[in-house]
Amino acid sequence: MSRTMEILLNGKIHQVPENCLISDLIALLELQGKRLAVEVNQEIVSRSEYTQQPLQSGDKVEIVYAIGGGSDLGATANPLTQNAKMEEIMSALDTPLMVAGKTYHSRLLVGTGKYRDLEETQNAIQASGAKIVTIAIRRSNIGQNPGEPNLLDVIPPDRYTLLPNTAGCYNAKEAVRTCRLARELLDGHNLVKLEVLGDEKTLFPDLVETYQATEVLIKEDFQVMVYTNDDPIAAKRLEEMGCVAVMPLAAPIGSGLGIRNPYNILEIVQNATVPILVDAGVGTASDAAAAMELGCDGVLMNTAIAGAQNPILMASAMKKAVEAGRSAYLAGRIPRKRYASASSPLEGTFF
């Protein structure tokens, strides 16, 4: 029977054979082939000496290796469970936006105003990846006069879902009339964005007029995506009236201020059974990502892209931001804490 001795290995007493070499210890621990660092009595031993240096009784040995920051629980987790969770996440990521029974593989909706020309409009919309595009109904806005460029040439209805909006309407009567004209213009198209404004300075919605217009439009079989303020009570009421999507503002239209009341938006999202899309106030990509991280189903914007110094590049940035924000929401962010929490585990430290 071979004789043994005691050493202190990584802070714990271990029995090893007498005259055990460092290489023998590594073999006993089944650590061959791994990148290690070995310290004996606080003196680092080079790899070339592992087969030459014997250990002595009472030696204090540290064997260390690099680990990822954070808990090492993942190393012992069932890989089948991990794969199942990853598949579940990927499935959720692939779930498309659904509005009024139709699916869309982009959660970014864009407008068509404020661009320098139709070519820039077309290129920016393509860069955004958007599938729902808003249009305003005006006497000449979409090329009704002979010889004028036609907006529908750059956003053809066979490639995009057109979303006529009631921008510029300040009462229910104007908004309903605009939607009726849009349906006639677009051959029975029923999906509309309803916005009824309260005043020219803030462009905040007039909720009383919005309710009135919503009631009429739904009775006439319109599918209403409605612009409203960030009031959870108003948002829920519009959903209960039959709107297919509710679109609370993040900030005043065109302001670029980003989300001013994130907890209101969160409350709206958590109590909704229809898609919630932030509409108005987005200024840059981080604003779009923030909206999606709250759990919003999508974001609609116009000025943030069209008003940028490089609209096409900004459109691309917004596409990525919406996708990243959605992924972050599905991944589940860490909770906010007041104090620090080390990313590397304390277990296994050698000092």
Side-chain angles (χ1 to χ4, degrees), residues 5 23 40 53 85 94 97 194 204 221 224 243 267 285-286 288:
M5 61 182 182
S23 57
V40 178
Q53 181 167 334
K85 289 181 178 179
D94 291 336
L97 170 67
L194 173 64
F204 283 147
D221 295 324
V224 180
C243 293
E267 186 70 16
S286 58

Side-chain angles (χ1 to χ4, degrees), residues 4-290:
T4 64
M5 61 182 182
E6 288 185 352
I7 64 171
L8 193 65
L9 174 61
N10 287 1
K12 295 182 179 179
I13 296 175
H14 282 258
Q15 298 284 337
V16 298
E18 280 190 347
N19 300 315
C20 178
L21 299 172
I22 292 176
S23 57
D24 296 332
L25 177 62
I26 290 173
L28 287 170
L29 298 172
E30 298 183 351
L31 296 175
Q32 308 98 312
K34 297 185 181 296
R35 183 174 291 274
L36 306 169
V38 178
E39 182 185 78
V40 178
N41 300 322
Q42 298 192 12
E43 294 290 336
I44 294 175
V45 181
S46 67
R47 293 187 184 89
S48 62
E49 297 176 351
Y50 288 177
T51 59
Q52 303 171 21
Q53 181 167 334
L55 297 170
Q56 305 295 325
S57 178
D59 278 347
K60 296 180 180 180
V61 182
E62 295 287 347
I63 299 180
V64 301
Y65 61 101
I67 65 171
S71 170
D72 59 358
L73 293 177
T76 58
N78 186 331
L80 296 178
T81 303
Q82 289 180 316
N83 290 339
K85 289 181 178 179
M86 183 58 68
E87 290 177 3
E88 181 181 343
I89 292 171
M90 293 306 296
S91 175
L93 287 173
D94 291 336
T95 301
L97 170 67
M98 180 172 288
V99 179
K102 185 174 180 180
T103 58
Y104 299 92
H105 293 279
S106 172
R107 295 178 179 275
L108 176 60
L109 292 70
V110 297
T112 52
K114 301 185 178 181
Y115 289 101
R116 284 185 283 271
D117 52 43
L118 289 181
E119 181 180 6
E120 185 177 75
T121 305
Q122 182 181 42
N123 291 336
I125 291 173
Q126 288 177 349
S128 75
K131 298 302 178 184
I132 301 178
V133 181
T134 66
I135 59 172
I137 304 301
R138 300 288 188 272
R139 288 193 174 97
S140 61
N141 190 38
I142 59 172
Q144 297 305 298
N145 295 337
E148 284 189 4
N150 195 323
L151 181 61
L152 299 187
D153 291 336
V154 300
I155 48 167
D158 61 338
R159 289 183 54 193
Y160 300 96
T161 292
L162 302 184
L163 184 61
N165 69 27
T166 60
C169 295
Y170 286 85
N171 58 60
K173 183 178 179 180
E174 292 173 358
V176 169
R177 181 186 177 196
T178 300
C179 290
R180 289 169 177 164
L181 285 169
R183 180 156 62 183
E184 177 65 23
L185 180 66
L186 299 174
D187 300 323
H189 184 85
N190 285 330
L191 185 66
V192 295
K193 179 196 169 186
L194 173 64
E195 61 178 68
V196 185
L197 305 177
D199 68 84
E200 296 182 3
K201 182 178 180 180
T202 66
L203 299 182
F204 283 147
D206 183 326
L207 286 181
V208 173
E209 296 291 323
T210 298
Y211 292 147
Q212 292 176 1
T214 298
E215 186 175 14
V216 173
L217 291 172
I218 289 175
K219 284 181 179 178
E220 295 184 9
D221 295 324
F222 281 94
Q223 297 169 323
V224 180
M225 300 175 67
V226 61
Y227 166 70
T228 183
N229 59 24
D230 56 9
D231 177 1
I233 305 303
K236 193 63 181 178
R237 180 171 298 176
L238 288 164
E239 175 188 331
E240 291 169 348
M241 291 178 72
C243 293
V244 298
V246 177
M247 308 175 74
L249 56 83
I253 293 172
S255 68
L257 290 173
I259 299 176
R260 297 294 85 199
N261 293 305
Y263 293 105
N264 282 25
I265 300 294
L266 183 62
E267 186 70 16
I268 292 171
V269 168
Q270 291 180 341
N271 288 284
T273 59
V274 298
I276 302 298
L277 301 97
V278 158
D279 179 17
V282 169
T284 190
S286 58
D287 298 331

